[in-house]
Amino acid sequence: MIRRALAALSSFLLLAALPASALAAPAPSGLDQAINNAFAPVADIVSWLVFHPVPIGFGASMPFVVLWLVIAAVFCTVYFGFINIRGFGQGFRLIRGDFSRPGDTGEVSHFQALATALSGTVGLGNIAGVAIAISIGGPGATFWMIVAGLLGMSSKFAECTLGVKFRRINPDGTISGGPMYYLSQGIAEQRPRLAGLGKVLAVVFALCCIGGSLGAGNMFQVNQTFQQMQLVSGGANSVLAGNGWIFGLGMAVLVAVVIIGGLKSIARVTGKLVPLMALLYFACGAFIIVADFANVVPALQAIVSGAFTPEAGYGGFIGVLIQGFRRAAFSNEAGVGSAAIAHSASRTREPVSEGLVALWEPFIDTVVICTMTALVIVITGMYQVEGVGDGVQLTSMAYASVLSWFPYLLAVSVFLFAFSTMLTWSYYGEKATCYLFGESRPVSLAYKFVFCAFVVIGASANLGVVIDFSDAMILAMSVPNLIGVYLLAPLIRRELRSYMARLRSGEIRDYRKTPETA
């Protein structure tokens, strides 16, 4: 199975590296169409492998990877004693800095680690992904997105705890961490007989992470940014129409300027963009909800009733649930393992503390921001209007139905969301590449060049092709990652029990209440 997965991923990487002429594509009409025709077969193969349907009874089926994520999220929630609920308050106190001990090993604070990881998750999945879920599954998909977000908090806790537990501190003080390290080192330490499996899983994860960085963290972002820019500049009559590659080229240059400078350059930019984009988008959504507050309760009723009583009966119920969980996983990445790469650099000596900080990510990303987007779409009723479109266009029209000028503001928000996400995911992909081929400048530069090339491809490809590829690659990361979480779950629970016991006894000091004076 692992050999087949590696072979499939290797085939994808080889196909992606081939020029368009090397792929048997139909005669193109324009460069955009040529790029799309060349890339579509690759997306189809990867999507089929990841979303292969699994029968779940009553004639219904669910994509394997969605079922895999749901089961893992439920397992982590129960196995760790509903840590998503009981650890919520302590996570907030950690983010606030109450337990930050001066001199602890790491590169960034709890808050900075959270902000960095959020810059990778709070992106167009919150804008376009929600719209796609509602347009396919109806308002009820929102309910299951929220459920998935709440359960995903436990998955995020587990993987980020492991990220700190098995991180590597480099001679220059920098940190290397993430699933690659706890799959290889953690499994070898805790389950020596499975050391070989751990190394294979680490390699598979790294390959999937590279694909995820090029898909969900790159192509999907630039594709939806281009769609919004084209919409506000004239739609079909825009000068951008049919010239996505030109927009992609410009975006690639902007990305290159930042990522060539390395992590410090990325951190400086995302540290400023994340608060700005979140505040901007949240303020607009809150204004629309307050302005049409009378329709909030009916919208919530539509969301709840649509989750359990869809028109299509049981089959429709499964379809709504699948869409909600699929879009939530794409948005908050709980169980995928990507955030563990960022959280590994946190300044702490307690692995569990970073897990508690990380569980706030799905809450902010999915429960708060995605729900706000969904409320606006349902309140305005734009998802029921024919010809509006899907993805970011549906969200744009929903907001524009209340604020006529909003599409222009959304264009700015979309750009900021996409740009910050692309920067963070370029770092994730770079770390995965360096894990496979060694930490060196030539390896880093080669990956960054490929990343920028995929910016152009993403702007030129059709939305359907981009969504299939993006979902497939980012969700494929969850397979090796969650195998590692299952194998190391007893260790996580021991760490959690020890942390909570020492917290109750006062051994773990609250520096906000009792500052260190010595």
Side-chain angles (χ1 to χ4, degrees):
M1 176 66 182
I2 293 172
R3 277 198 292 254
R4 287 199 298 271
L6 279 169
L9 286 167
S10 300
S11 298
F12 151 69
L13 293 173
L14 289 172
L15 281 169
L18 290 174
S21 59
L23 298 170
S29 57
L31 187 55
D32 277 11
Q33 189 61 42
I35 293 175
N36 186 75
N37 289 341
F39 189 71
V42 179
D44 289 342
I45 293 172
V46 176
S47 182
W48 182 88
L49 288 171
V50 175
F51 295 115
H52 189 72
V54 176
I56 57 177
F58 300 96
S61 62
M62 182 180 289
F64 161 74
V65 74
V66 177
L67 188 62
W68 176 252
L69 286 165
V70 172
I71 292 173
V74 173
F75 168 80
C76 289
T77 299
V78 175
Y79 190 78
F80 300 123
F82 293 87
I83 190 62
N84 53 341
I85 298 173
R86 65 189 181 99
F88 194 73
Q90 177 63 11
F92 175 77
R93 290 187 287 273
L94 286 161
I95 295 169
R96 193 170 60 182
D98 293 6
F99 295 85
S100 297
R101 174 174 177 165
D104 276 351
T105 302
E107 296 184 78
V108 294
S109 67
H110 288 304
F111 175 79
Q112 289 171 327
L114 178 66
T116 301
L118 277 173
S119 71
T121 60
V122 178
L124 289 176
N126 304 84
I127 300 176
V130 175
I132 292 167
I134 293 176
S135 64
I136 297 175
T142 305
F143 178 88
W144 295 112
M145 287 185 68
I146 295 172
V147 171
L150 293 172
L151 293 174
M153 293 166 68
S154 303
S155 305
K156 188 81 75 166
F157 159 80
E159 61 195 15
C160 291
T161 296
L162 290 175
V164 175
K165 179 68 176 178
F166 294 102
R167 65 185 178 180
R168 185 180 70 187
I169 302 174
N170 300 317
D172 60 357
T174 60
I175 304 293
S176 294
M180 299 87 71
Y181 296 91
Y182 60 72
L183 288 172
S184 57
Q185 299 174 16
I187 293 176
E189 177 184 306
Q190 297 297 312
R191 298 179 180 270
R193 293 182 179 180
L194 299 177
L197 173 63
K199 292 179 180 179
V200 172
L201 291 175
V203 171
V204 173
F205 177 88
L207 289 171
C208 291
C209 185
I210 294 170
S213 71
L214 299 177
N218 182 336
M219 295 174 63
F220 181 79
Q221 308 298 323
V222 69
N223 181 277
Q224 291 291 270
T225 304
F226 170 70
Q227 295 297 329
Q228 181 64 15
M229 293 299 180
Q230 179 176 301
L231 180 66
V232 300
S233 61
N237 298 319
S238 169
V239 67
L240 293 175
N243 293 310
W245 68 274
I246 297 178
F247 178 85
L249 190 61
M251 193 79 165
V253 171
L254 291 177
V255 170
V257 168
V258 178
I259 68 175
I260 293 299
L263 178 59
K264 290 184 178 180
S265 177
I266 294 172
R268 283 196 300 269
V269 175
T270 56
K272 296 176 181 177
L273 286 183
V274 171
L276 174 62
M277 70 186 187
L279 180 62
L280 185 65
Y281 189 71
F282 186 87
C284 291
F287 176 83
I288 292 176
I289 292 172
V290 172
D292 202 3
F293 192 75
N295 286 321
V296 171
V297 173
L300 291 173
Q301 290 174 339
I303 289 171
V304 175
S305 63
F308 296 99
T309 58
E311 296 179 0
Y314 181 81
F317 164 74
I318 293 299
V320 171
L321 184 147
I322 290 172
Q323 282 302 319
F325 272 85
R326 176 171 171 169
R327 300 322 315 174
F330 178 71
S331 179
N332 64 48
E333 300 166 18
V336 170
S338 55
I341 300 174
H343 282 281
S344 297
S346 176
R347 283 194 294 269
T348 182
R349 62 177 59 187
E350 299 286 350
V352 168
S353 68
E354 196 58 31
L356 295 172
V357 169
L359 62 78
W360 269 75
E361 277 181 51
F363 180 81
I364 295 172
D365 179 277
T366 305
V367 179
V368 177
I369 299 180
C370 285
T371 301
M372 173 167 286
T373 301
L375 278 176
V376 171
I377 293 173
V378 176
I379 285 173
T380 59
M382 290 304 294
Y383 70 98
Q384 297 174 314
V385 178
E386 295 290 336
V388 171
D390 55 11
V392 73
Q393 294 182 28
L394 173 56
T395 304
S396 178
M397 295 305 294
Y399 277 76
S401 67
V402 179
L403 303 171
S404 60
W405 45 265
F406 184 79
Y408 299 98
L409 186 59
L410 182 60
V412 176
S413 296
V414 166
F415 177 82
L416 295 178
F417 273 110
F419 191 58
S420 66
T421 299
M422 291 166 71
L423 297 181
T424 299
W425 267 94
S426 72
Y427 174 69
Y428 291 164
E430 179 188 352
K431 296 300 286 185
T433 303
C434 288
Y435 175 82
L436 291 174
F437 302 105
E439 295 276 355
S440 69
R441 184 168 177 79
V443 170
S444 295
L445 289 177
Y447 168 80
K448 291 172 183 176
F449 175 80
V450 173
F451 187 86
C452 290
F454 268 73
V455 175
V456 181
I457 295 175
S460 306
N462 289 336
L463 176 60
V465 173
V466 171
I467 289 175
D468 289 344
F469 177 80
S470 298
D471 282 3
M473 292 311 302
I474 192 171
L475 295 179
M477 295 165 61
S478 68
V479 176
N481 178 59
L482 290 176
I483 290 175
V485 170
Y486 282 127
L487 292 175
L488 298 173
L491 170 65
I492 301 172
R493 188 160 64 174
R494 290 196 299 271
E495 291 279 338
L496 175 59
R497 287 174 174 172
S498 172
Y499 178 86
M500 289 301 186
R502 288 181 288 120
L503 182 64
R504 287 191 296 269
S505 69
E507 182 180 340
I508 296 178
R509 180 188 296 184
D510 183 340
Y511 289 91
R512 188 183 184 91
K513 293 180 180 178
T514 56
E516 191 171 49
T517 56

